[in-house]
Structures are given as C-alpha cells and as structure tokens.
Amino acid sequence: MTLLNELITLNADYAAAIDDDRLEDWPSFFTEKCFYRITTAQNHARGLPAGLVYADTRQMLVDRVLSLRKANIYERQAYRHLIGLPRVESEDNGIVRARTSFAVLRIMRTGETEIFASGNFLDELARVDDQLLLQRRDVICDSQRIDTLLALPL
Amino acid sequence: MTLLNELITLNADYAAAIDDDRLEDWPSFFTEKCFYRITTAQNHARGLPAGLVYADTRQMLVDRVLSLRKANIYERQAYRHLIGLPRVESEDNGIVRARTSFAVLRIMRTGETEIFASGNFLDELARVDDQLLLQRRDVICDSQRIDTLLALPL
Amino acid sequence: MTLLNELITLNADYAAAIDDDRLEDWPSFFTEKCFYRITTAQNHARGLPAGLVYADTRQMLVDRVLSLRKANIYERQAYRHLIGLPRVESEDNGIVRARTSFAVLRIMRTGETEIFASGNFLDELARVDDQLLLQRRDVICDSQRIDTLLALPL
C-alpha cells in the first residue's frame, strides 16, 4: 500500500470509530506518548499553546472517553466526519508529516443536521510494529465558536 | 489498480451518475440479483428489516428510476454527493465488504443549499467480468427525518 | 504514483493553498496558457460561454489574486474546501481529463459556518516538466446564487 493509501485508510478508520460510537477505539490510533490538541485557527496563528482539549499520553485520551461516557452527552447526538484528501508534507527518519481537511456534521435527535466543525488535521505519524500511528494531531478548527459546543473527539 | 482505488472510482462514478442527472446509469453499478435499501441508523440498530426504499433486483432499480422520471420531482432540485474515504473491511472468495461515509447536499431551484442526508454505505461487492459491482448496498442515514423528503437514490 | 493518486494530491494541494490563505500559490497549479472559468450549472447546460470569473492565462490568475488582496474582502472570512474523489475520464496524448465534485464551506468572523458553494470541477491537465498542471478548469457551480457572493477562487 502506498503511503497516501495508508493515510486514507487511517483517517477513514479514525473517523468511523467516532461516527460509529466506538469511542473506546479512538485512543488506539495514537502512540502511547502522543500529543493531541483541539484549538482554533486564530489561537494557532497567534501561537497560543493551550487548546480546548489537550492530551499528551494515550492514557489521557482513554480517560477522556471515560468521562464522555459518564457525562453521557455524546449519546444524544450523532456525528458524521467528512474527511478530505490527505496531503503528505514530508517523510523523514520514519516520521510522516501530513495535513488533512475535515468537516464534521452533527445530527441531533430531532433529526436536524448542522455543520458542527471544520478545519485541518496537522499530523505527525510514526510507524510502530509496521502500523502507522499518530504521535501528534493538532486539530485546528476554522471557527471561533467551537469551544462552547465541544463534546466529542474530533 | 489497487482495491482501494477501485472503490474510490466506483463511488465517485456512482455519485456522479446521480448528481449529473444520469439516473438511468445508476442501476448499472449493481449486480442483477442485488439488495439495495435506504434506512435510518435507528431502524438499522433495532434490526428492523424494512427500509424507506427497498429493491432486490437490478430491474427494481430500473423501475424506480422510471417512476422518478414520471413523477418529475427530481428535476426541480439538484444533488451533490460528498463521498468519504472508503474503508475495506474484508475480501473473501471474491466478495469485498466496504463502508463509506457520505453526505448529500440538495440545491433547490431558488439556489438555497442544504444538507439533505448523511450516513454510511455498507457494501458487499462482487467482481463480474472483471468489474466491481455492488451486490448489496445498505444506505444507513444518520437522521430520522429523511423519510419525508426522500426522492432520489442515495 | 498512480494517476488517481496524482489527482488526489493536486486537488488537495490546490484546496489547501486557498484555505490556508496562500492565494499567491494558486496560479502555480495552472499552465501558463490556461483556461479558468467559474460558471453555474444552468449557464453551462445552456452553452453560455461567459462565466462569473474568466481567465485564459496564468498571469490573469495572478492579477486576480492581486485585486483580491487589495480589495481585502478575503480576509474577513475563511474557506474550507471539501474535495470529492477524482474521476479520471480519459488520458490521451498526455492530456488527462478528469471531474471532481467539491463543496466549499465559508466561516465568517462571527464563527457561523455555511455552505458557500458546491459543484463540479471539469479539468484538462497536462504534464509539464513531469508535473501535472491544469490547462483548463471549468468550475461548474450547482447553485444560481453564487454570483453575488463570489470573492475567492474556487
């Protein structure tokens, strides 16, 4: 499989884990020591480090899923990721850098569908046991409005 | 061509047939004996067999296009499929199982554009004369609202 | 890289140049003598030649970016392209014909996100110094409403 096809598959699987409500599978796309952040384009451009969501180990992602399950917010709505075509930026010493556009639709229990978020995944990936894993994913959201709505992983 | 690229091509061609208003081409993506169904995620999760649209031969799909043409509903609006990245689940004895997210925009004659549907294609594909065809496509719509609006194939 | 993967990469890079506000990179996806047009599906179906935007050299695209920068309209909003799966139609004498669906979200400074445009790229591509470039891109927008809103390249 080409690197591009690997990235297509990784992103499609990642999105499906969230959209199919298999949130427990979501941390498995990351390396154990990792970096995951959700922030806005404005904050990212200003170089502000703190994001809306922040984790630097896979365990923190596991914990986040546990609290989402407890809060039970997630169950009242469904999401549908629309993942763009991945762009490979570089591949050096086994580290792949890639960027991928995304949009997420939110489907409320009432049936209404709205655009929940859009943005860019800025990724660093490493190969662990022959599998491509995210060692860093910066989720850069286009809109400033995202913070008040945020519940699920993006 | 890799299987992934074949699935990308099949899904892009399928969507284009509908979006370009070449509905008569739509049944040609299926095997003669086939299964096509549109249902909601809720009904699918409950295991309810009946969908909003149901066909089990290619001829039934042909008939559906004929009635759409007669009803002439289709002409008053246009659709734009946004097809996600296909996920290959398995390939056994020539049968491919794959899942692909989608969203469909509807453009009204007035120019307004709205999200018409989103969901997941659950597919079984077979190779007939060297061509990959759908022998089963379950269209699982995220929203419960879809039924009252449904006109075109998804 | 397969032709399909080349088209995926070209389209993803093209979209990123616009979405990342690197508009100055946008003309570099075209051959020097080229054809770029934005029009509506209705006008296209009627065979009307004039589009909403029209250019037949790369220099005209460069000039367009300069006026967008001066007008400064672009800065008040952000865009997010969702590019569909490319469809290769033919490859003859080094000329590739392809079609690709797209949707563009517009994110206002207030944070609101709306569907700005959707449609089809009808492309002719040529290989120049081993790189695939657009020698013609017809942007066929689904909606009639696009004209009054148009600011950025699509």
Side-chain angles (χ1 to χ4, degrees), chain A residues 77-136:
Chain A
Q77 49 203 28
Y79 295 86
R80 179 64 52 194
H81 279 67
L82 302 171
I83 307 273
L85 309 166
R87 297 170 61 222
V88 180
E89 294 203 308
S90 65
E91 187 173 12
D92 282 314
N93 291 318
I95 304 301
V96 175
R97 275 168 223 275
R99 290 179 176 235
T100 307
S101 281
F102 69 88
V104 181
L105 306 180
R106 179 162 63 168
I107 302 96
M108 309 306 290
R109 279 271 178 255
T110 56
E112 275 164 298
T113 300
E114 55 181 34
I115 301 165
F116 174 67
S118 68
N120 221 348
F121 293 132
L122 310 190
D123 296 336
E124 268 178 35
L125 303 108
R127 212 169 288 277
V128 179
D129 299 335
D130 221 45
Q131 211 197 336
L132 211 54
L133 293 178
L134 291 159
Q135 70 175 23
R136 176 170 187 136

Coordinates of all heavy atoms in Angstrom, one line a residue, chain A residues 77-136:
Chain A
Q77 N -26.5 12.8 20.5 CA -26.3 13.3 19.1 C -25.4 12.3 18.4 O -24.7 11.5 19.0 CB -25.7 14.7 19.2 CG -24.5 14.7 20.2 CD -24.2 16.2 20.7 OE1 -25.2 17.0 20.8 NE2 -23.0 16.4 20.9
A78 N -25.4 12.5 17.1 CA -24.5 11.6 16.3 C -23.7 12.6 15.4 O -24.0 13.7 15.2 CB -25.3 10.7 15.4
Y79 N -22.5 12.1 15.0 CA -21.6 12.9 14.2 C -21.3 12.1 12.9 O -21.4 10.9 12.8 CB -20.3 13.1 14.9 CG -20.5 13.9 16.2 CD1 -20.9 13.3 17.4 CD2 -20.4 15.3 16.1 CE1 -21.2 14.1 18.5 CE2 -20.7 16.1 17.2 CZ -21.1 15.5 18.4 OH -21.3 16.3 19.5
R80 N -21.0 12.9 11.9 CA -20.5 12.3 10.6 C -19.3 13.1 10.1 O -19.5 14.3 9.8 CB -21.7 12.4 9.6 CG -21.4 11.9 8.2 CD -21.0 10.4 8.2 NE -22.0 9.6 8.8 CZ -21.8 8.3 9.1 NH1 -20.7 7.7 8.9 NH2 -22.8 7.6 9.7
H81 N -18.2 12.5 10.1 CA -17.0 13.1 9.6 C -16.9 13.1 8.1 O -17.2 12.0 7.5 CB -15.7 12.4 10.2 CG -15.3 12.8 11.6 ND1 -16.1 12.4 12.7 CD2 -14.3 13.4 12.0 CE1 -15.5 12.9 13.8 NE2 -14.4 13.5 13.4
L82 N -16.6 14.2 7.5 CA -16.2 14.2 6.1 C -14.8 14.6 6.0 O -14.4 15.7 6.3 CB -17.1 15.2 5.4 CG -18.6 15.0 5.5 CD1 -19.3 16.2 4.9 CD2 -19.0 13.8 4.8
I83 N -14.0 13.6 5.7 CA -12.5 13.7 5.7 C -12.0 14.0 4.3 O -12.4 13.3 3.3 CB -11.8 12.5 6.2 CG1 -12.4 12.0 7.6 CG2 -10.3 12.7 6.3 CD1 -11.8 12.7 8.7
G84 N -11.2 15.0 4.2 CA -10.7 15.4 2.9 C -9.6 14.5 2.4 O -9.3 13.5 3.0
L85 N -9.0 14.9 1.3 CA -7.9 14.1 0.7 C -6.6 14.4 1.5 O -6.2 15.6 1.6 CB -7.7 14.5 -0.7 CG -9.1 14.4 -1.5 CD1 -8.9 15.1 -2.9 CD2 -9.5 12.9 -1.7
P86 N -5.9 13.4 2.1 CA -4.7 13.7 2.9 C -3.6 14.3 2.0 O -3.4 13.9 0.8 CB -4.3 12.4 3.4 CG -5.4 11.5 3.2 CD -6.2 12.0 2.0
R87 N -2.8 15.2 2.6 CA -1.6 15.7 1.9 C -0.4 15.3 2.7 O -0.2 15.7 3.8 CB -1.7 17.3 1.9 CG -2.9 17.8 1.1 CD -3.0 19.3 1.3 NE -1.8 20.0 0.9 CZ -1.3 21.0 1.5 NH1 -1.8 21.4 2.7 NH2 -0.2 21.5 1.1
V88 N 0.5 14.6 2.1 CA 1.8 14.2 2.7 C 2.7 15.4 2.5 O 3.0 15.9 1.4 CB 2.4 13.0 2.0 CG1 3.7 12.6 2.7 CG2 1.4 11.8 2.0
E89 N 3.3 15.9 3.6 CA 4.2 17.0 3.6 C 5.6 16.6 3.6 O 6.5 17.1 2.9 CB 4.0 17.9 4.8 CG 2.6 18.6 4.7 CD 2.6 19.9 5.6 OE1 3.1 19.8 6.7 OE2 2.3 20.9 5.1
S90 N 5.9 15.6 4.3 CA 7.3 15.0 4.3 C 7.4 13.7 5.0 O 6.4 13.2 5.7 CB 8.2 16.0 5.1 OG 7.9 16.0 6.5
E91 N 8.5 13.0 4.7 CA 8.7 11.7 5.4 C 10.2 11.6 5.7 O 11.0 11.5 4.7 CB 8.2 10.5 4.5 CG 8.3 9.2 5.2 CD 7.7 8.0 4.4 OE1 7.4 8.2 3.2 OE2 7.6 6.9 4.9
D92 N 10.6 11.7 6.9 CA 12.0 11.7 7.3 C 12.2 10.8 8.5 O 11.5 11.0 9.5 CB 12.4 13.2 7.7 CG 12.7 14.0 6.5 OD1 13.3 13.6 5.6 OD2 12.2 15.2 6.5
N93 N 13.2 9.9 8.4 CA 13.5 9.1 9.6 C 12.3 8.4 10.1 O 12.1 8.3 11.3 CB 14.2 9.9 10.7 CG 15.5 10.4 10.3 OD1 16.3 9.6 9.7 ND2 15.9 11.6 10.6
G94 N 11.4 7.9 9.2 CA 10.2 7.2 9.6 C 9.1 8.1 10.2 O 8.0 7.5 10.6
I95 N 9.3 9.4 10.2 CA 8.2 10.3 10.7 C 7.5 10.9 9.5 O 8.2 11.5 8.6 CB 8.8 11.4 11.6 CG1 9.5 10.8 12.8 CG2 7.7 12.3 12.1 CD1 8.7 9.9 13.7
V96 N 6.3 10.7 9.4 CA 5.5 11.3 8.3 C 4.7 12.5 8.8 O 4.2 12.5 9.9 CB 4.4 10.3 7.8 CG1 3.5 10.9 6.8 CG2 5.1 9.0 7.3
R97 N 4.8 13.6 8.1 CA 4.0 14.8 8.4 C 2.9 14.9 7.3 O 3.2 14.8 6.1 CB 4.9 16.1 8.4 CG 5.5 16.3 9.7 CD 6.6 17.4 9.6 NE 7.8 17.1 10.3 CZ 8.0 17.3 11.6 NH1 7.0 17.9 12.3 NH2 9.1 16.9 12.2
A98 N 1.7 15.1 7.7 CA 0.6 15.2 6.8 C -0.5 16.2 7.3 O -0.5 16.5 8.5 CB -0.1 13.8 6.6
R99 N -1.3 16.7 6.4 CA -2.3 17.6 6.7 C -3.6 17.1 6.0 O -3.5 16.7 4.8 CB -2.1 19.0 6.2 CG -0.9 19.7 6.9 CD -0.7 21.1 6.3 NE 0.3 21.8 7.1 CZ 0.1 23.0 7.7 NH1 -1.0 23.6 7.5 NH2 1.1 23.5 8.5
T100 N -4.7 17.2 6.7 CA -5.9 16.7 6.1 C -7.1 17.6 6.5 O -7.3 17.8 7.7 CB -6.2 15.2 6.5 OG1 -5.1 14.5 6.2 CG2 -7.4 14.7 5.8
S101 N -7.8 18.1 5.6 CA -9.0 18.9 5.9 C -10.2 18.0 6.4 O -10.2 16.8 6.0 CB -9.5 19.6 4.6 OG -8.8 20.8 4.4
F102 N -11.0 18.6 7.2 CA -12.2 17.8 7.7 C -13.4 18.7 7.9 O -13.2 19.9 8.1 CB -11.9 17.0 9.0 CG -11.7 18.0 10.1 CD1 -12.8 18.4 10.9 CD2 -10.5 18.5 10.5 CE1 -12.7 19.2 12.0 CE2 -10.3 19.4 11.5 CZ -11.4 19.7 12.3
A103 N -14.5 18.1 7.8 CA -15.7 18.8 8.3 C -16.5 17.7 9.1 O -16.4 16.5 8.9 CB -16.6 19.3 7.2
V104 N -17.2 18.2 10.1 CA -18.0 17.2 10.9 C -19.4 17.7 11.0 O -19.7 18.9 11.3 CB -17.4 17.1 12.4 CG1 -18.3 16.1 13.2 CG2 -16.0 16.7 12.4
L105 N -20.4 16.9 10.6 CA -21.8 17.2 10.7 C -22.3 16.7 12.0 O -21.8 15.7 12.5 CB -22.6 16.6 9.6 CG -22.1 16.8 8.2 CD1 -23.0 16.1 7.2 CD2 -22.1 18.3 7.9
R106 N -23.2 17.4 12.7 CA -23.8 16.9 13.9 C -25.3 16.7 13.6 O -26.0 17.6 13.1 CB -23.7 17.9 15.0 CG -24.3 17.4 16.3 CD -23.8 18.1 17.5 NE -24.1 19.5 17.5 CZ -24.0 20.3 18.5 NH1 -23.5 19.8 19.7 NH2 -24.3 21.6 18.4
I107 N -25.8 15.5 13.9 CA -27.2 15.1 13.7 C -27.8 15.0 15.1 O -27.5 14.2 15.9 CB -27.3 13.8 13.0 CG1 -26.6 13.9 11.6 CG2 -28.8 13.4 12.7 CD1 -25.1 13.4 11.6
M108 N -28.8 15.9 15.4 CA -29.4 15.9 16.6 C -30.5 14.9 16.7 O -31.0 14.4 15.6 CB -30.1 17.3 16.9 CG -29.1 18.5 16.7 SD -27.6 18.3 17.7 CE -28.2 18.6 19.3
R109 N -31.0 14.5 17.9 CA -32.0 13.5 18.0 C -33.3 13.9 17.3 O -34.1 13.1 16.8 CB -32.3 13.3 19.5 CG -31.4 12.3 20.2 CD -31.8 10.8 20.0 NE -30.8 10.0 20.7 CZ -30.0 9.2 20.0 NH1 -30.0 9.2 18.7 NH2 -29.1 8.4 20.6
T110 N -33.5 15.2 17.1 CA -34.7 15.7 16.4 C -34.6 15.5 14.9 O -35.5 15.6 14.2 CB -34.8 17.2 16.6 OG1 -33.6 17.9 16.2 CG2 -35.0 17.6 18.1
G111 N -33.3 15.2 14.5 CA -33.1 14.9 13.1 C -32.5 16.1 12.3 O -32.0 15.9 11.2
E112 N -32.4 17.2 13.0 CA -31.7 18.3 12.3 C -30.2 18.0 12.2 O -29.6 17.5 13.1 CB -31.8 19.6 13.2 CG -33.1 20.4 13.0 CD -33.3 21.3 14.1 OE1 -33.5 20.9 15.3 OE2 -33.3 22.5 13.8
T113 N -29.7 18.4 11.0 CA -28.3 18.2 10.7 C -27.6 19.6 10.5 O -28.1 20.4 9.8 CB -28.1 17.4 9.5 OG1 -28.7 16.1 9.7 CG2 -26.6 17.2 9.2
E114 N -26.5 19.8 11.2 CA -25.8 21.1 11.0 C -24.3 20.8 10.9 O -23.8 19.8 11.2 CB -26.1 22.0 12.2 CG -25.7 21.3 13.6 CD -26.0 22.2 14.8 OE1 -26.9 22.9 14.8 OE2 -25.2 22.1 15.7
I115 N -23.6 21.9 10.4 CA -22.1 21.8 10.3 C -21.6 22.1 11.7 O -21.8 23.2 12.2 CB -21.6 22.8 9.3 CG1 -22.2 22.5 7.9 CG2 -20.1 22.7 9.3 CD1 -22.0 23.6 6.9
F116 N -21.0 21.1 12.4 CA -20.5 21.2 13.7 C -19.2 21.9 13.8 O -18.9 22.7 14.6 CB -20.5 19.8 14.4 CG -19.9 19.8 15.7 CD1 -20.5 20.4 16.8 CD2 -18.7 19.2 16.0 CE1 -20.0 20.4 18.1 CE2 -18.2 19.1 17.2 CZ -18.8 19.7 18.3
A117 N -18.3 21.4 12.9 CA -16.9 21.9 12.9 C -16.3 21.7 11.5 O -16.7 20.8 10.8 CB -16.1 21.2 14.0
S118 N -15.3 22.5 11.2 CA -14.5 22.2 10.0 C -13.1 22.7 10.4 O -12.9 23.5 11.3 CB -15.0 23.0 8.8 OG -14.8 24.4 9.0
G119 N -12.1 22.2 9.7 CA -10.7 22.6 10.0 C -9.7 21.7 9.3 O -10.0 21.1 8.3
N120 N -8.6 21.6 10.0 CA -7.4 21.0 9.4 C -6.8 20.1 10.5 O -6.6 20.5 11.6 CB -6.4 22.0 9.0 CG -5.7 21.8 7.7 OD1 -5.8 20.7 7.2 ND2 -5.0 22.8 7.2
F121 N -6.5 18.8 10.1 CA -5.6 18.0 11.0 C -4.2 18.2 10.6 O -3.8 18.0 9.4 CB -5.9 16.5 10.8 CG -7.3 16.0 11.2 CD1 -8.1 15.3 10.3 CD2 -7.8 16.3 12.5 CE1 -9.3 14.8 10.7 CE2 -9.1 15.9 12.8 CZ -9.8 15.1 12.0
L122 N -3.4 18.6 11.6 CA -1.9 18.7 11.3 C -1.3 17.5 12.0 O -1.3 17.5 13.3 CB -1.3 20.0 11.8 CG -2.0 21.3 11.5 CD1 -1.2 22.5 11.9 CD2 -2.3 21.4 10.0
D123 N -0.7 16.6 11.3 CA -0.4 15.3 11.9 C 1.1 15.0 11.8 O 1.8 15.4 10.8 CB -1.1 14.2 11.2 CG -2.6 14.2 11.3 OD1 -3.1 14.8 12.3 OD2 -3.3 13.7 10.5
E124 N 1.6 14.3 12.8 CA 2.9 13.7 12.8 C 2.6 12.2 13.0 O 2.0 11.9 14.1 CB 3.8 14.2 13.8 CG 4.7 15.3 13.4 CD 5.6 15.8 14.6 OE1 6.0 14.9 15.4 OE2 5.8 17.0 14.7
L125 N 3.1 11.3 12.2 CA 2.9 9.9 12.3 C 4.1 9.1 12.4 O 5.1 9.5 11.8 CB 2.0 9.4 11.1 CG 0.7 10.2 10.9 CD1 0.8 11.0 9.7 CD2 -0.5 9.2 10.8
A126 N 4.1 8.0 13.2 CA 5.3 7.2 13.3 C 4.8 5.7 13.1 O 3.6 5.4 13.3 CB 5.9 7.3 14.7
R127 N 5.7 4.9 12.6 CA 5.4 3.5 12.3 C 5.8 2.7 13.6 O 6.9 2.7 14.0 CB 6.2 3.1 11.1 CG 5.4 2.0 10.3 CD 6.1 1.8 8.9 NE 6.0 3.0 8.0 CZ 4.9 3.1 7.2 NH1 3.9 2.2 7.3 NH2 4.8 4.2 6.5
V128 N 4.8 2.0 14.2 CA 5.0 1.2 15.3 C 4.5 -0.2 15.0 O 3.4 -0.4 14.7 CB 4.3 1.7 16.6 CG1 4.5 0.8 17.8 CG2 4.7 3.2 16.9
D129 N 5.5 -1.2 15.0 CA 5.1 -2.5 14.6 C 4.4 -2.6 13.3 O 3.4 -3.2 13.1 CB 4.2 -3.2 15.7 CG 4.9 -3.3 17.0 OD1 6.2 -3.3 17.1 OD2 4.2 -3.3 18.1
D130 N 5.0 -1.8 12.3 CA 4.5 -1.8 11.0 C 3.2 -1.1 10.8 O 2.6 -1.2 9.7 CB 4.4 -3.3 10.4 CG 4.9 -3.3 9.0 OD1 5.9 -2.7 8.7 OD2 4.2 -3.9 8.2
Q131 N 2.7 -0.4 11.8 CA 1.4 0.3 11.7 C 1.7 1.7 11.9 O 2.4 2.2 12.8 CB 0.5 -0.3 12.8 CG -1.0 -0.2 12.4 CD -1.9 -0.3 13.5 OE1 -1.6 -0.8 14.6 NE2 -3.1 0.2 13.4
L132 N 1.0 2.5 11.1 CA 1.1 4.0 11.1 C 0.2 4.5 12.2 O -1.0 4.2 12.3 CB 0.7 4.6 9.8 CG 1.3 5.9 9.3 CD1 2.9 5.7 9.3 CD2 0.8 6.2 7.9
L133 N 0.8 5.2 13.2 CA 0.1 5.7 14.3 C 0.3 7.2 14.4 O 1.4 7.7 14.0 CB 0.5 5.1 15.7 CG 0.2 3.6 15.8 CD1 0.7 3.1 17.2 CD2 -1.3 3.3 15.7
L134 N -0.6 7.9 15.0 CA -0.5 9.4 15.2 C 0.4 9.6 16.5 O 0.0 9.2 17.6 CB -1.9 10.0 15.5 CG -2.8 10.1 14.2 CD1 -4.2 10.2 14.7 CD2 -2.4 11.2 13.3
Q135 N 1.5 10.3 16.3 CA 2.2 10.7 17.5 C 1.9 12.2 17.8 O 2.1 12.6 18.9 CB 3.7 10.4 17.4 CG 4.5 11.3 16.5 CD 6.0 11.0 16.6 OE1 6.4 9.9 17.0 NE2 6.8 12.0 16.2
R136 N 1.3 12.8 16.9 CA 0.8 14.2 17.2 C -0.4 14.5 16.2 O -0.2 14.3 15.0 CB 1.9 15.2 17.0 CG 1.4 16.6 17.2 CD 2.6 17.6 17.2 NE 2.0 18.9 17.6 CZ 2.5 19.8 18.4 NH1 3.6 19.5 19.1 NH2 1.8 20.9 18.7

